[in-house]
Amino acid sequence: MAESVTAHRVWVDLGERGYPVDVGPGARHLLPAAVARVGAARVAIVSARPAEDAVPDPGVPAVRITARDGERDKTLANVGNLCEQFAAFGLTRSDAVVSCGGGTTTDVVGLAAALYHRGIAVIHLPTSLLAQVDASVGGKTAVNLPAGKNLVGAYWQPSAVLCDTDYLRTLPAREWTNGYGEIARAHFIGAGDLRGLPVEEQIARSVALKASVVARDERDSGLRHILNYGHTLGHALEIATGFGMRHGEGVAVGTVFAGRLAARLGLIDETRAAEHHEVVAHYGLPTALPAGVDDGELVSIMRRDKKSTSTSTTTGLAFVLDSSDGPRLVPDVPADLVASTLAAMDRSAL
C-alpha cells in the first residue's frame, strides 16, 4: 500500500523528532515503510490483538509479544517484563518496538520503549477509537500506582502512528462510547463541532488539534494542560469505581462537570454550560455521576491529580475550565465549590 492512499495525514511538528500520524482504512500497511524510515534491523511487536495478521510483516526480523489491554496491566512490573523480553530478543537502541492495541497498551509499550536502552524507537498501531483519537499521539507514556493514574511515566515521542480505521470495525459498542469521550471534550478546546462528521475526520481533526498543542508545549509546561479537559474528575471516577467506569466515560462526566464548575465561577454563562451536557449526550456518553460514589472520596482523589499538586498552593484542586477567552488551567478552586457542584450533579447506575 502506498503512503498516499491514507485518508488523512497529520504531522506532529517537533523539528527533527517530528512524525506523521496516518488516519484511514488500511493505514497499518504503512508499517514496513515506517520501520524502514527508522532504520531498524529488527523489531519487537507487542500486540493486544489476538489475530496474527493484526500487525503486518514489518519487513525485518520480529518477535511477537502478547499484551492485554486494560488499566490493571498498566504497571511498572509489566513494563519491566517487556524490557526483559526486548533484551532476550537482542534489541539494540537502533532497533524499534511496535505497539498494537488500545490506550493502555500504547502507554505501557511507550514507557517500555522510553526506558529500554534509555530510549528506543516506537511505532504505534492504535486499535481503539480512544487510542486513535488521543492516547497514541503526543508522547505521554505512563503507568498507574495505587495512589493514582499515570503517576510514573516519561515523555517519549513515537516515530510514527498508524491509525487504521479498519481496526474499529470489531469494537464493541462500549469501546466506541469510550473513544467518543475524548472527541466530545475536544469540542471545548478548539477542535470545533465534530458531530455528524465521518469518524475518520473526527479522528483526524482531534489529532490535528492535539498535534498543534504538543508542537507548542511538548512537556506540559502550560498550553498542553487544555488537553486534560474533563480529565481531573474523569480520572477520579475511574479510580473510585475500580475502573468500572472507563476512561472516556469518566472524561465525559468530567466535561459536564467542568462546564457547571466554570459557570459557577463566572467564567462562562449558563448557555455555554448547558452546551457541555448537550454535546456529551449527543455521543451517547454518560452525563451523570455513578450512584454510590462518595463525593468526598472524589475530592480527595482529585487533590492528588498531577495538575493540582504542581500548580495549586492552597486548596490542592486545579481544573482545566472553559472561559470567555478559551480553556485554561484554573488553580486553587475552592473545595466547598467543588463539593457543592458535585452534589448538584445527576446520579445514575454505572
Side-chain angles (χ1 to χ4, degrees):
M1 173 177 286
E3 294 201 19
S4 61
V5 305
T6 54
H8 303 273
R9 169 168 280 191
V10 177
W11 187 260
V12 182
D13 188 3
L14 292 169
E16 293 181 355
R17 295 178 296 109
Y19 55 92
V21 181
D22 287 290
V23 182
R28 68 181 179 271
H29 296 292
L30 300 175
L31 179 62
V35 171
R37 284 198 303 272
V38 170
R42 60 178 63 196
V43 300
I45 298 170
V46 184
S47 178
R49 297 281 288 205
E52 182 73 15
D53 61 354
V55 181
D57 185 338
V60 297
V63 62
R64 292 178 183 259
I65 301 169
T66 300
R68 293 189 307 179
D69 278 325
E71 293 288 342
R72 288 174 177 80
D73 282 327
K74 280 184 65 172
T75 64
L76 280 170
N78 199 13
V79 170
N81 178 57
L82 287 177
C83 290
E84 291 280 2
Q85 295 188 69
F86 297 165
F89 185 58
L91 285 191
T92 70
R93 68 177 57 186
S94 61
D95 293 321
V97 178
V98 174
S99 80
C100 179
T104 54
T105 296
T106 297
D107 266 4
V108 171
V109 177
L111 182 55
L115 297 176
Y116 184 73
H117 279 305
R118 299 187 180 88
I120 185 172
V122 62
I123 298 167
H124 294 311
L125 276 64
T127 61
S128 69
L129 181 58
L130 179 74
Q132 293 191 3
V133 166
D134 183 63
S136 61
V137 179
K140 275 189 176 180
T141 72
V143 294
N144 302 334
L145 295 177
K149 276 198 53 147
N150 299 331
L151 294 184
V152 178
Y155 291 94
W156 189 247
Q157 299 293 342
S159 297
V161 180
L162 307 177
C163 298
D164 191 334
T165 51
D166 286 341
Y167 284 133
L168 307 181
R169 294 177 180 175
T170 59
L171 289 183
R174 194 175 181 191
E175 275 302 321
W176 278 94
T177 302
N178 196 29
Y180 278 125
E182 295 285 2
I183 291 175
R185 75 86 168 87
H187 180 107
F188 300 100
I189 59 173
D193 195 343
L194 305 181
R195 289 173 289 181
L197 297 178
V199 69
E200 289 173 11
E201 190 167 347
Q202 290 177 326
I203 295 168
R205 284 179 56 173
S206 297
V207 168
L209 169 66
K210 185 167 188 178
S212 70
V213 172
V214 170
R216 288 177 285 168
D217 179 19
E218 182 180 2
R219 291 181 172 265
D220 246 347
S221 60
L223 178 65
R224 190 166 176 167
H225 287 315
I226 71 170
L227 299 176
N228 288 313
Y229 202 87
H231 283 60
T232 302
L233 178 58
H235 285 164
L237 287 169
E238 288 180 81
I239 294 167
T241 61
F243 298 104
M245 178 164 268
R246 307 295 301 279
H247 177 74
E249 296 167 343
V251 168
V253 177
T255 296
V256 174
F257 171 80
R260 294 189 178 190
L261 186 60
R264 295 196 64 189
L265 285 166
L267 299 174
I268 59 174
D269 60 25
E270 291 296 336
T271 299
R272 179 66 167 175
E275 187 178 343
H276 284 66
H277 188 285
E278 175 189 339
V279 170
V280 169
H282 168 84
Y283 290 104
L285 291 155
T287 59
L289 290 172
V293 173
D294 180 72
D295 291 358
E297 181 185 5
L298 292 176
V299 171
S300 177
I301 295 170
M302 287 191 286
R303 290 187 195 277
R304 300 197 296 266
D305 182 85
K306 295 186 296 299
K307 294 184 298 303
S308 298
T309 56
S310 64
T311 62
S312 294
T313 59
T314 304
T315 70
L317 292 165
F319 298 87
V320 179
L321 298 176
D322 198 6
S323 76
S324 58
D325 297 322
R328 60 187 176 91
L329 182 65
V330 180
D332 292 326
V333 178
D336 59 346
L337 184 63
V338 172
S340 61
T341 305
L342 285 172
M345 293 277 288
D346 293 334
R347 307 276 170 162
S348 66
L350 183 62

